[in-house]
Amino acid sequence: MGAGTELAEAQCDSLEGRIYLDYNATTPLAPEVSQAVWDAMCQAWGNPSSSHPAGSKAKELIGSARQSLAKMLGGRPEDIVFTSGGTEANNMVIHTACRHFHDSQRETGDSQGIPHIVTSSVEHDSIRLPLEQLVKEGLAEATFVPVSPRSGQAEVDDVLAAIQPNTCLVSLMLANNETGVIMPVAELSQRVCALNRRRAAQGLPRILVHTDAAQMIGKGRVDVQELGVDYLTIVGHKFHGPRIGALYIRSPGTATPLHPMLFGGGQERSFRPGTENTPMIAGLGQAAELVNRNWEAYEAHMRDVRDYLEATLEASFGKQRIRFNSHFKGSKRLCNTCNFSILGPGLQGRRVLAHCKVLLASVGAACHSEKGDRPSPVLLSCGIPPEAAQNALRLSVGRGTTRAEVDRAVQDLVHAVEQLERDQAP
């Protein structure tokens, strides 16, 4: 784990002895990624569309990065379109599905009304909010399938039961950012594929399948052939890359529709025009290369440290005081994620973290950090009782996290809880 050790050392320098356990929110650039970004800024500054050597160098780097991302996912280079990040990629899929629905209606002469999209109740805001806006404007219908309190997953049967004649897209994240629960995307794709064959015979629109893989990449195997999806969202800063992203599309523009949201110079085959951000794309490619070479070692290390963290929490607080909010029988979860509550009055997650001197973590999704002490909607939808959900903490370990750091972080939590309980004593 040499690269992980370098990463941990670089982090400690920047955080002045704090212990960062918020890797599901973001990750620092791997040293190799920083170098790739810097080298591209210095040596590949030309416009990739220019035919002279300066432009050719930039174009070459972009092509290499595209190959690295495709290899990471088991896809083809031509299936990768670079975007500004996961939010743009997710919005592009929704935009495409609605456009494709209307195009299909015109071609067949049938009218199924407005497009309908099925997703889960625990998706990222960049799925939920665009859908809510389309519904508000009367441009689409959406069904948000609740997750099962038994499994923490959006169950395949429940998703399929939500499908209507005008359904054009099913979007289900690959792994949840708060609980770490891995969703049954491959099974869903298989079932939708079979359903599409029956729908075609009935003249109904094709249902496209999308997964947001932001949390899974770099923490486990992600293979688009096994998943069977039409679209997959890639987010660089979740796996030690820069803050850009990409979208995988199975044969874009031929087997799978893709409609641009922007119009301009024709870059990215006109699917996503705008002069390419060569340094960030080079960094994303390097981050993908690290995953290609090391993902199994990363996964094993993070699982070992996460399991040690959970054992240490139970040993330090007692099994009766710790409730693990991401343990669902029969469901797999991310190797690095521990969502738990320290039970007791006045121990809301945000208050506990505010009293920590060393630990840097969160109570849930970084995008929801302004919502005060209200329990996480994701945890509530998973059947976690409100009094436990409001005490929730999400600790997510990284490639370079050590057992010694876990020991320090848990001791910090113990001291924070002791301080809160002293302050509350009559």
Side-chain angles (χ1 to χ4, degrees), residues 276-396:
E276 300 92 336
N277 189 343
T278 306
M280 297 302 114
I281 291 173
L284 186 62
Q286 181 60 56
E289 271 303 311
L290 291 174
V291 171
N292 290 336
R293 294 197 296 264
N294 303 310
W295 74 264
E296 290 171 305
Y298 293 154
E299 182 182 29
H301 173 78
M302 285 187 277
R303 177 171 284 111
D304 175 75
V305 174
R306 191 274 313 278
D307 290 348
Y308 179 74
L309 166 63
E310 295 188 344
T312 306
L313 284 167
E314 286 193 333
S316 301
F317 287 97
K319 289 189 176 183
Q320 300 307 311
R321 278 205 90 181
I322 294 290
R323 179 198 167 102
F324 292 113
N325 301 320
S326 47
H327 289 190
F328 294 93
K329 189 174 181 181
S331 295
K332 295 180 180 180
R333 58 186 173 128
L334 291 174
C335 60
N336 77 321
T337 305
C338 172
N339 193 307
F340 68 99
S341 299
I342 305 169
L343 303 178
L347 298 180
Q348 292 89 348
R350 206 171 296 277
R351 295 189 70 198
V352 172
L353 287 179
H355 282 73
C356 286
K357 303 290 193 294
V358 174
L359 174 64
L360 298 173
S362 67
V363 297
C367 303
H368 301 156
S369 59
E370 79 289 348
K371 295 191 177 178
D373 286 327
R374 281 184 287 166
S376 159
V378 170
L379 295 184
L380 293 176
S381 65
C382 291
I384 308 299
E387 62 274 14
Q390 69 178 0
N391 286 17
L393 297 167
R394 184 193 67 183
L395 304 190
S396 44

Side-chain angles (χ1 to χ4, degrees), residues 9 12 18 70 79 83 94 105 114 125-126 136 148 198 200 210 213 284 318 345 362 366 403 414 418:
E9 288 172 354
C12 284
R18 305 292 291 271
D79 296 336
T83 65
I94 293 169
Q105 300 293 285
I114 59 175
D125 279 355
S126 59
K136 181 180 176 182
S148 164
R198 297 196 295 273
H210 166 248
L284 186 62
S362 67
R403 289 189 173 206
V414 169
E418 288 173 347

Side-chain angles (χ1 to χ4, degrees), residues 5 36 38 58 108 120 142 148 150 162 189 206-207 223 258 292 382 418:
T5 304
W38 177 251
T108 61
S120 82
S148 164
R150 181 184 58 80
S189 294
R206 171 186 171 189
I207 300 170
D223 187 305
L258 186 64
N292 290 336
C382 291
E418 288 173 347

